[in-house]
Amino acid sequence: MKACFIGLGYIGLPTAIIAAGKIDSVVGVDINPDVVEMTNKGHLHIIEPGMEELLRKVIDKGSFRASLKPETSDAYFIVVPTPFKGDHEPDISYVEAATRSVVPYLKEGDLFVIESTSPVGTTEKMADLIFDLRPELKGKIFIAYCPERVLPGNVIHELVNNDRVIGGIDFQSTEKAKDFYSKFVNGELHATDARTAEMCKLTENSSRDVQIAFANELSFICKEAGINVWELIKLANKHPRVNILQPGCGVGGHCIAVDPYFITSCYPAQSQLIAKARQINNYKAEWCVERIKNAILKFELDNGRKPSVALMGLAFKPDIDDLRESPSKQIATEIVKTAMVPEIYVVEPNIASHNSFKLTETNTAYDKADIVVFLTAHKPFRDLSWRDDKIILDFCGIFKQS
Ligand code: SAJ
């Protein structure tokens, strides 16, 4: 059995490596020559704990190799990005290009799977494309969609143990794809059709976005009502059937803040709640900026001098070094640019340096600043003690005092 993975990013590379631990031969394809060279030398170009050791193992075993071009295989996996074009419209041109790149290699009995997050109908579109170019393969190859659900940082465990949803363009395709994934997935493999599998991925991340928006909306209401939102949510969650998430600075990363648009751009009239949740979560960062600016103004009026400000955390969620689409970074950028204060200390304990922010160590910033703004709930911040001599804006629940 030989498998070919197109796209060696945050999902494609780990999946190819883990599959190579269980099957004879895997070729991982990427258009970036640096990625291919690095990977073949046993170096990981992404950050994922434990993955580099696994990469070296499968290279030594002879079951994994990276390449710039696809090769004749028994199964092909499309794991490339689906970015936006225009106003949050999904752009499936990478999926299409990756599909075109494997079409010449396809033969009777092969399996073709899309893993990339995709708008509903993409798998059927790619099936049409394949059969347009290779009509003799109609009914003779197996085509399915199988989204990933792993949490970055815990990929080795989740890739193997999470349940997966697998949807073929027909029953035989679903079964063939299930058979492949069963070689390295211990979680249950749930069979469905391609459109449901595509929608399932979008639904999972939209559901979380909507739930976080509810928590963020409560934070706006509680600020007006003079109620501690953290205490409110803790108490409401004592109800046996209520489970409210936590408010924060907004929603970041490359998944939850992105995938809902795949629904809203295709079904605008039917997705009012999902669209509103996106707006609320985006607005949360602006609301935080306003509150910081107001606190600076009030300090100046009360003390007759401008305050120094500490901005604690840039990553999009706690205890990681990933700043992609981070609302904390967006807030810090805006405050550094517009707040006319003598000193701003930017703190991100998970990275050594940053090209636009001068970073300060956690305790130094906490000691020196008049106003301390908690943006991301990193562990070193959670270890700090409350200080009555500071103005603390706690947007991510470090002390949960206001
Ligand atoms: N957040 C809150 N409040 C909360 C929980 C999270 O504001 O109570 C914020 C975080 O601070 C962060 C954002 O939400 O900015 C997203 O973080 P996350 O940990 O919820 O999710 P991701 O983006 O790291 O990974 C998600 C996961 N999806 C779900 O939990 C439904 C993961 O399983 C998916 O594989 C991944 O998206 C993906 O690739 O789609």
Side-chain angles (χ1 to χ4, degrees):
M1 157 64 96
K2 181 168 172 182
C4 182
F5 283 79
I6 312 292
L8 295 180
Y10 274 86
I11 301 300
L13 181 56
T15 312
I17 293 171
I18 286 174
K22 297 286 180 190
I23 66 172
D24 309 330
S25 175
V26 171
V27 58
V29 179
D30 205 286
I31 50 169
N32 183 339
D34 296 336
V35 166
V36 170
E37 195 189 327
M38 234 178 126
T39 308
N40 280 330
K41 285 185 178 152
H43 299 301
L44 212 63
H45 75 98
I46 56 166
I47 308 159
E48 188 55 47
M51 196 54 75
E52 195 161 271
E53 290 72 34
L54 287 189
L55 169 64
R56 290 186 185 163
K57 263 193 200 160
V58 290
I59 291 176
D60 290 347
K61 194 180 129 205
S63 61
F64 179 79
R65 205 162 32 79
S67 166
L68 281 167
K69 283 214 151 51
E71 292 175 12
T72 303
S73 305
D74 306 300
Y76 300 85
F77 297 83
I78 306 299
V79 203
V80 294
T82 30
F84 292 134
K85 56 181 181 194
D87 184 20
H88 294 117
E89 228 185 282
D91 173 6
I92 59 165
S93 62
Y94 293 136
V95 173
E96 192 181 320
T99 302
R100 284 181 188 277
S101 79
V102 304
V103 168
Y105 300 90
L106 289 172
K107 57 184 181 338
E108 193 174 333
D110 282 355
L111 171 66
F112 172 90
V113 178
I114 300 175
E115 285 205 7
S116 307
T117 304
S118 303
V120 173
T122 303
T123 310
E124 290 167 348
K125 259 192 202 149
M126 292 308 114
D128 289 346
L129 175 75
I130 293 170
F131 297 136
D132 274 353
L133 295 166
R134 301 280 308 276
E136 78 282 10
L137 291 175
K138 202 153 191 173
K140 298 197 172 135
I141 60 167
F142 305 96
I143 298 178
Y145 183 76
C146 179
E148 56 75 24
R149 325 168 120 160
V150 292
L151 205 61
N154 196 25
V155 168
I156 297 181
H157 176 81
E158 295 209 356
L159 233 140
V160 173
N161 294 296
N162 286 359
D163 283 13
R164 292 188 81 135
V165 171
I166 300 181
I169 55 162
D170 49 36
F171 175 75
Q172 291 78 2
S173 295
T174 309
E175 288 304 300
K176 181 89 172 177
K178 269 182 77 180
D179 192 46
F180 179 85
Y181 281 97
S182 68
K183 294 181 196 312
F184 66 95
V185 174
N186 295 336
E188 232 181 285
L189 302 172
H190 303 273
T192 182
D193 56 69
R195 294 174 77 84
T196 309
E198 289 162 344
M199 186 62 186
C200 188
K201 169 69 187 179
L202 306 179
T203 300
E204 289 160 14
N205 282 345
S206 300
S207 151
R208 198 156 164 86
D209 198 44
V210 169
Q211 290 179 55
I212 296 169
F214 182 69
N216 280 330
E217 184 157 289
L218 287 177
S219 75
F220 304 146
I221 296 166
C222 286
K223 176 75 184 77
E224 290 306 307
I227 292 169
N228 178 330
V229 69
W230 313 101
E231 189 195 357
L232 172 78
I233 291 174
K234 194 174 98 192
L235 294 173
N237 283 347
K238 298 286 179 201
H239 184 292
R241 286 170 297 282
V242 172
N243 188 12
I244 303 168
L245 294 180
Q246 301 294 300
C249 289
V251 172
H254 262 207
C255 309
I256 294 180
V258 173
D259 296 358
Y261 292 117
F262 284 49
I263 298 177
T264 57
S265 74
C266 298
Y267 307 100
Q270 293 79 14
S271 55
Q272 311 276 320
L273 177 65
I274 298 172
K276 194 73 200 171
R278 277 282 69 245
Q279 278 175 19
I280 290 169
N281 286 334
N282 284 340
Y283 171 65
K284 185 66 195 271
E286 292 171 35
W287 185 83
C288 293
V289 167
E290 276 317 299
R291 284 203 52 204
I292 299 167
K293 286 184 175 170
N294 287 341
I296 292 171
L297 258 175
K298 182 167 185 320
F299 183 97
E300 204 179 338
L301 287 172
D302 291 349
N303 297 277
R305 66 171 175 91
K306 287 182 186 285
S308 55
V309 178
L311 300 171
M312 313 292 277
L314 293 175
F316 85 85
K317 64 179 188 177
D319 305 320
I320 57 164
D321 58 4
D322 193 339
L323 311 190
R324 292 180 302 168
E325 309 296 326
S326 169
S328 306
K329 193 180 102 185
Q330 184 193 331
I331 293 165
T333 306
E334 185 62 21
I335 294 299
V336 167
K337 203 166 75 186
T338 57
M340 311 292 253
V341 292
E343 206 68 65
I344 297 185
Y345 309 105
V346 178
V347 182
E348 180 41 74
N350 298 297
I351 57 175
S353 63
H354 190 271
N355 52 14
S356 15
F357 299 107
K358 180 175 162 282
L359 298 180
T360 303
E361 189 270 327
T362 302
N363 289 298
T364 312
Y366 195 42
D367 271 346
K368 286 189 168 174
D370 300 304
I371 298 177
V372 183
V373 185
F374 287 103
L375 298 169
T376 310
H378 293 311
K379 172 85 170 62
F381 306 160
R382 303 199 298 270
D383 290 341
L384 296 169
S385 309
W386 175 268
R387 295 243 323 235
D388 280 328
D389 59 330
K390 309 274 174 197
I391 290 163
I392 295 178
L393 296 180
D394 182 4
F395 295 129
C396 57
I398 296 291
F399 299 117
K400 298 189 163 57
Q401 301 230 357
S402 61

